[in-house]
């Protein structure tokens, strides 16, 4: 039986504009291409988990608008169980404008109506059924905390992907409830105001007993251990598109935790999945399969401390 | 009878994200607000002309998709005759991501499928009926040249709003056919590779017998005269949103030319309309009325050379 992963948080319609270089001046720029793809931390993570063979479901809210219909069709095509995605009349589906340059670097601007997620109550059922791991992002605070509390009660891993600070009391409750926390570098800096990743993780450790890590892009992953810190190197790849790489990391990480892998091994699995994702243009075919991830893991020497 | 203005060129769905400041780093940014508004040079100009009391029609092409339907509804709400806007199956409606900061500065990234306009033939009828003035932009070359040729044959003003270079032979034919050319500052630099606006207009004058001007934003308008150049100062306003200001300028300018006003008086009318537009957030209510433009013109001293 494949592992069951529930992802709780935001789903976004990403409008991906490709340009020769990212615009720097406040002017008019003409893009070479535009693609509409699935976006949002939890939604992308669910798609990544599904592609890796997990039975992935998404708990989210979208608008009852054409964008929301597009997102649900995309989730279905990607093999994600979207029955727990609510369509909300009168509120818009979250949208991001994503600008990607020829080197795969990206600038993203997201808008989500605060009534859709940030201020919305948790769903009546925090999780839609039996699960082996729970992944939450930081965009739907009440649902994230409820899902992590349910994970804790069921003794399954409760992982949080943290990118933007939450308001209290949700931030404190989330830090106290999650079993595993994995920040983006920017997210850790925003949560702690510490520019140094080690200092940031130390600040979080004062408020949380969870396993802690921070992703550093091409510089790999920093993990907090019982004895200090360990640095996991990134897999050397030629990146063409970093959009969704962090979400893919977290979807793979949740899948590996659901399978019972230890924290560092699961992080390495996530890093391999993210590395493969970066080598492909964003879209349905960008998510790596388990065979691809295992092949990359097998090709690499073991991590040294 | 009110003046009849035909606008030929692009219509765009503008997704306007408001942020505290324009993003400079290739990261993830959260917007405070998102609005979907009418965009595109010709479409915005038609809306501006309609609001000034002209009978404005738009000649354009959009996709047979939800975005195209939204655009047509928006044009109707703004009083623009959109019967000559073709809905094309299988091609997407042009979309722009527009990022606007708290000071009203804006960064715009547009995508239009080249098959929709750039490579498309001119419509069977270059103009949909009797007109007093024609305005074209540079995004649908064959239609722009056909409309300017029709304007010339009918002895009505044929104005071009030039922002991005066209390929030959359309660029040469457009320069040779238009009666009036008004560039944006960036557009003139892109057309001529001259950074100095006077040098740019001199280069255009070697290829065109049209009346020439270039808009310089808050620095006003530079006009080429029989004796050299004249500088028209901008109307001093507190800008909150420059999105669509240039298009409003051109819609008002075409309206004034259709009414038979001389070039410099028409430019001043356009500058006043653009100035008022800048004081308002973009959207349906941003376009100024004739009374508002006349009031601003009356409140200002006459231009000195």
């Amino acid at each position: 039986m494949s592992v069951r992963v529930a992802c709780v948080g935001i789903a976004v319609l990403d409008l991906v504009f490709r340009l020769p270089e990212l615009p720097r001046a406040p002017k008019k720029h003409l893009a070479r291409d535009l693609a509409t793809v699935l976006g949002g931390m939890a939604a992308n993570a669910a798609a990544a988990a599904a592609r890796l063979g997990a039975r992935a479901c998404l708990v989210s809210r979208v608008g009852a608008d054409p964008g929301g219909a597009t997102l649900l069709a995309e989730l279905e095509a990607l093999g994600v169980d979207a029955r727990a995605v609510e369509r909300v009349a009168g509120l818009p589906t979250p949208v991001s404008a994503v600008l990607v340059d020829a080197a795969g670097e990206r600038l993203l601007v997201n808008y989500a109506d605060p009534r859709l997620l940030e201020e919305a109550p948790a769903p009546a059922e925090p999780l839609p059924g039996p699960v082996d791991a729970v992944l939450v992002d930081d965009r739907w605070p009440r649902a994230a905390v409820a899902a992590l509390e349910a994970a804790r009660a069921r003794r399954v891993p409760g992982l949080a992907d943290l990118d933007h600070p939450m308001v209290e009391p949700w931030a404190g409750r989330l830090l106290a409830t999650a079993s595993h926390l994995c920040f983006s570098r920017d997210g850790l800096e925003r949560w702690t105001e510490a520019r140094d990743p080690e200092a940031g993780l130390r600040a979080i450790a004062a408020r949380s007993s969870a396993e802690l890590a921070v992703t550093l892009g091409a510089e790999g992953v920093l993990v907090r251990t019982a004895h200090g810190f360990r640095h996991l190197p990134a897999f050397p790849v030629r990146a063409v598109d970093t959009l969704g790489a962090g979400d893919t990391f977290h979807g793979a990480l949740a899948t590996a935790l659901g399978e019972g892998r230890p924290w560092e091994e699961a992080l390495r699995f996530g890093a391999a999945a993210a590395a493969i994702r970066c080598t492909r243009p964003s879209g349905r075919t960008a998510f790596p399969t388990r065979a691809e991830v295992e092949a990359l893991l097998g090709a690499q020497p073991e991590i040294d401390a």
Side-chain angles (χ1 to χ4, degrees), chain A:
Chain A
M1 285 294 280
S2 57
V3 69
R4 297 159 299 184
V5 177
C7 299
V8 180
I10 194 167
V12 179
L13 208 59
D14 277 2
L15 304 180
V16 184
F17 295 81
R18 290 186 185 279
L19 299 123
E21 41 191 72
L22 292 181
R24 310 213 177 267
K27 294 186 173 180
K28 191 193 288 190
H29 307 265
L30 300 187
R32 286 180 176 169
D33 184 46
L34 171 62
T36 301
V37 304
L38 179 73
M41 300 161 74
N44 257 333
R51 182 72 172 153
L52 290 166
R55 281 186 282 156
C57 71
L58 178 66
V59 180
S60 188
R61 299 175 94 213
V62 299
D65 52 14
T70 301
L71 274 191
L72 289 174
E74 202 63 22
L75 286 164
E76 189 181 4
L78 288 158
V80 175
D81 177 350
R83 284 174 293 177
V85 178
E86 188 187 352
R87 295 196 72 188
V88 184
L91 293 178
T93 293
V95 176
S96 288
V98 186
L99 314 182
V100 179
D101 71 13
E105 200 62 82
R106 62 118 171 80
L107 186 161
L108 184 154
V109 178
N110 170 257
Y111 177 71
D113 189 304
R115 293 168 293 178
L116 187 71
L117 296 169
E118 189 184 342
E119 301 167 358
E125 288 296 327
L127 296 173
V131 294
D132 299 302
V134 171
L135 168 67
V136 305
D137 68 30
D138 52 31
R139 302 298 296 277
W140 189 3
R142 288 164 183 82
V145 167
L148 291 175
E149 286 171 351
R152 172 171 284 247
R154 298 184 195 182
R155 301 178 189 277
V156 298
L159 167 68
D161 175 4
L162 300 178
D163 198 40
H164 279 85
M166 285 179 171
V167 293
E168 296 297 349
W170 313 109
R173 285 179 64 179
L174 182 141
L175 294 181
T177 312
S179 62
H180 298 77
L181 297 173
C182 186
F183 293 81
S184 67
R185 171 178 251 162
D186 289 344
L188 184 60
E189 189 176 327
R190 284 189 279 252
W191 272 73
T192 63
E193 292 175 14
R195 299 201 64 175
D196 172 58
E198 292 195 4
L201 290 185
R202 263 188 231 107
I204 294 295
R207 303 177 64 193
S208 174
S209 58
E211 300 279 4
L212 303 183
V214 53
T215 61
L216 304 173
E219 292 166 49
V221 180
L222 182 72
V223 196
R224 189 164 185 277
T225 68
H227 314 291
F229 295 95
R230 185 189 290 261
H231 178 251
L232 311 184
F235 292 86
V237 292
R238 185 183 162 86
V240 302
D241 191 344
T242 60
L243 180 64
D247 308 330
T248 298
F249 184 103
H250 285 87
L253 178 56
T255 301
L257 290 175
E259 291 166 356
R261 301 198 197 200
W263 183 225
E264 287 187 29
E265 186 185 326
L267 286 166
R268 207 155 167 268
F269 188 81
I276 296 168
R277 164 85 193 209
C278 287
T279 64
R280 301 171 181 172
S282 46
R284 280 187 196 174
T285 55
F287 299 100
T289 63
R290 181 172 296 261
E292 290 167 337
V293 175
E294 298 289 5
L296 182 58
L297 283 166
Q300 291 292 318
E302 280 303 300
I303 307 153
D304 48 28

